[in-house]
Amino acid sequence: MDKLQEIVDKEAGLKRGMRSRHMFMISIGGVIGTGLFVGSGYTINQAGPGGAVLAYMLGGILVGIVMASLGELATAMPVAGSFKTYAQVFISPSVGFLSAWLYWINGAITITVEWLAAVMILQQYFPHIPSVVFYVVFFIIYLVLNIMAVGVYGESEFWFASIKVIGIIVASAVGIAVIFGWTSHPAIGATNYLHHGGLFPHGFGASFLALVSVCFSYSGTELIGIAAGESRDPAKSVPRAVRTTTLRTLLFYVLAMIVLVGIIPWQSAGVNDSPFATIFQLAGIPSAHVIMDIIVVTSALSAGSSWTYASSRLIWSMSLDGMAPKFLSKLSKRQVPVRSVLFTMIIGVAGLLLYKVSPDKLYTWILSGIGLVVVIDWGIICLAQMGFRRKYVRSGGKVSDLPYRTPLYPVLPLVGILANAAIAVSLWFVPGQRITIYTGVPIIAIIMLYYFLFARKRILAKQKENREQIENSLSVELS
């Protein structure tokens, strides 16, 4: 194990200043963004009250399966490349290449989404300030936070994410009070659960078709795997972060959805307004929209910051393996990949131009696109865990020696692979989201074509030594 850790540390190269609570909040920061505060309205509208709750429960269970698989990998190999590295070592270099670029594009676009959401809200209060001013301010804030020592970044994200966690808890508590009539608003009771077509106005199938947008909401939990590359004690902090993130994320989302569908009729829910603001309004709380808008803006900026962190570390790792331009591999004196941070943010800013193409449909398209990328990478994580376990056991390793073990192996990772594949296919059956298939499949084809025509030889040469070192250490040191 010591030899493997030396190889991992050498591959990581980053300063290990991340604490367990930082990792948990970075993951929560990536998860709780506009997907919950704004996108939840879309899910309620598409699946109905019972369907929305069921979709978030199923999505939360799937998150638990993926996190369990990632936990075993991240404790054994805590590297910034995370599932990209796991895929290239335990599946194939081509799959690692695909996973890496898809997830990096996903991260850069998510920054765009969060900035758009924040600016749309801020301009309601400051209509005379050009949007470019807000984008410049965001850029400076993100840059400062992400080029400082990782411990400083982790601490700042801990407090930013705490604001939205508190906001969800307070909103859920106020929502329960509204439902039972403990505020100035008359009791709503079970009206929205049982009327307007019942719990499943579109049938049970709508819950499964809504899982793509739900996966967009849950995307970010896997950031723990990337943060493990800078964790002080991965063997202890990663399993703790995996458990707490899975349970609390599921609790936050499902509780919030139960409250939301009890207050908002599913026909009137959508993506134009935050359903959480309605909770405070019905409760008669002064300046309800202002309170919720502050929380949503903070949430959006926190989520974008988490994705900036994760994406910059990922493309830095990619540059080490020949998957990305070599100039991105340089670290600052604080052992921070400043060039990768800048590159990721510049691409994120460029994504703002997409808003000019179709501002009305952009959010839904991006929601579906990121959902597709997420389920592909989640499936790859589960497959990589199975590959790791097979090689580990064949090399003479004892499963009992692993710092963290995926429960119910191989059932859970197999379920994860099949479930994620099924969700990806379901996009074809949602006409409004079918655009993701039309655009996503060609992007995947282009990435794979580029790999086999131009990058394969370079990447294989670069990875050969790393693969041999890791597999030899598995054979010699983990037995």
Side-chain angles (χ1 to χ4, degrees):
M1 178 65 79
D2 292 339
K3 181 63 177 177
L4 177 59
Q5 191 61 55
E6 290 175 8
I7 294 171
V8 168
D9 288 338
K10 181 179 179 181
E11 181 182 349
L14 301 169
K15 184 177 179 62
R16 293 191 177 273
M18 196 74 70
R19 298 172 184 264
S20 179
R21 63 188 179 91
H22 294 158
M23 295 175 63
F24 167 67
M25 279 303 185
I26 286 173
S27 179
I28 288 293
V31 174
I32 302 176
T34 55
L36 175 61
F37 288 112
V38 180
S40 54
Y42 173 81
T43 304
I44 294 172
N45 181 266
Q46 295 298 303
V53 173
L54 178 59
Y56 275 93
M57 289 180 65
L58 293 174
I61 293 171
L62 180 57
V63 167
I65 293 173
V66 174
M67 292 294 285
S69 298
L70 181 60
E72 180 172 314
L73 291 164
T75 50
M77 294 178 60
V79 292
S82 189
F83 36 88
K84 178 271 296 182
T85 301
Y86 310 144
Q88 70 187 42
V89 173
F90 300 113
I91 303 177
S92 75
S94 61
V95 175
F97 186 82
L98 175 65
S99 173
W101 276 108
L102 282 179
Y103 201 78
W104 181 78
I105 293 171
N106 168 34
I109 293 177
T110 302
I111 297 171
T112 301
V113 174
E114 305 298 348
W115 283 18
L116 283 172
V119 169
M120 283 190 289
I121 292 173
L122 289 172
Q123 286 200 312
Q124 296 176 13
Y125 299 95
F126 308 101
H128 302 298
I129 298 178
S131 58
V132 67
V133 174
F134 291 113
Y135 294 137
V136 170
V137 172
F138 296 165
F139 192 95
I140 294 172
I141 293 174
Y142 278 33
L143 182 61
V144 171
L145 288 177
N146 279 274
I147 66 175
M148 298 177 73
V150 68
V152 176
Y153 168 77
E155 194 66 28
S156 66
E157 185 57 30
F158 175 85
W159 292 107
F160 275 126
S162 296
I163 293 174
K164 53 190 174 184
V165 169
I166 294 171
I168 291 174
I169 294 173
V170 171
S172 298
V174 173
I176 292 172
V178 171
I179 291 174
F180 285 96
W182 299 337
T183 67
S184 58
H185 190 278
I188 297 176
T191 300
N192 291 324
Y193 294 117
L194 304 178
H195 297 177
H196 312 295
L199 289 174
F200 299 92
H202 302 305
F204 284 97
S207 297
F208 298 98
L209 295 179
L211 278 173
V212 174
S213 58
V214 168
C215 288
F216 163 75
S217 297
Y218 278 127
S219 66
T221 50
E222 66 284 340
L223 298 186
I224 284 178
I226 295 175
E230 295 177 88
S231 172
R232 292 184 176 182
D233 188 358
K236 293 182 179 180
S237 60
V238 172
R240 188 182 302 122
V242 165
R243 287 190 292 267
T244 54
T245 300
T246 302
L247 293 175
R248 294 180 190 179
T249 300
L250 181 60
L251 175 63
F252 290 150
Y253 270 84
V254 174
L255 175 61
M257 291 305 297
I258 291 174
V259 172
L260 288 177
V261 299
I263 290 178
I264 304 172
W266 64 267
Q267 303 98 318
S268 60
V271 299
N272 294 324
D273 295 303
S274 171
F276 286 85
T278 305
I279 293 177
F280 289 108
Q281 283 183 314
L282 295 180
I285 297 176
S287 304
H289 261 294
V290 176
I291 295 173
M292 201 61 234
D293 284 343
I294 291 173
I295 294 175
V296 173
V297 169
T298 302
S299 172
L301 295 179
S302 171
S305 182
S306 289
W307 281 100
T308 301
Y309 165 82
S311 299
S312 62
R313 269 56 179 181
L314 178 60
I315 201 165
W316 171 81
S317 176
M318 291 162 62
S319 69
L320 295 180
D321 292 334
M323 295 183 177
K326 187 177 180 180
F327 75 91
L328 297 174
S329 63
K330 186 176 178 58
L331 295 175
S332 68
K333 293 181 180 179
R334 295 189 179 94
Q335 294 176 278
V336 174
V338 175
R339 293 182 181 181
S340 295
V341 171
L342 278 169
F343 183 72
T344 299
M345 290 178 61
I346 289 171
I347 298 301
V349 171
L352 294 170
L353 298 176
L354 293 173
Y355 184 67
K356 303 296 182 181
V357 177
S358 180
D360 295 331
K361 297 182 179 180
L362 178 66
Y363 186 87
T364 303
W365 287 354
I366 292 179
L367 180 148
S368 302
I370 294 176
L372 176 61
V373 171
V374 167
V375 296
I376 290 174
D377 275 315
W378 282 1
I380 288 174
I381 289 172
C382 295
L383 185 60
Q385 187 274 331
M386 296 185 69
F388 165 78
R389 180 71 73 89
R390 284 196 300 269
K391 286 191 176 182
Y392 178 83
V393 173
R394 288 175 183 174
S395 300
K398 297 179 180 178
V399 176
S400 58
D401 291 338
L402 290 171
Y404 178 86
R405 298 177 293 279
T406 302
L408 301 178
Y409 175 87
V411 176
L412 281 190
L414 276 174
V415 170
I417 294 168
L418 295 175
N420 282 298
I423 293 171
V425 172
S426 73
L427 275 171
W428 181 257
F429 301 97
V430 185
Q433 297 180 1
R434 199 172 292 168
I435 182 68
T436 307
I437 298 292
Y438 297 145
T439 56
V441 172
I443 289 174
I444 292 173
I446 290 171
I447 292 174
M448 295 305 291
L449 188 64
Y450 179 84
Y451 171 80
F452 284 108
L453 291 181
F454 304 106
R456 183 172 178 270
K457 291 183 179 180
R458 180 180 70 253
I459 291 173
L460 289 180
K462 190 77 173 178
Q463 293 177 355
K464 183 178 180 181
E465 182 178 353
N466 288 340
R467 285 176 63 92
E468 289 177 350
Q469 285 182 332
I470 291 172
E471 291 176 359
N472 289 339
S473 77
L474 284 171
S475 177
V476 175
E477 300 295 336
L478 295 182
S479 60

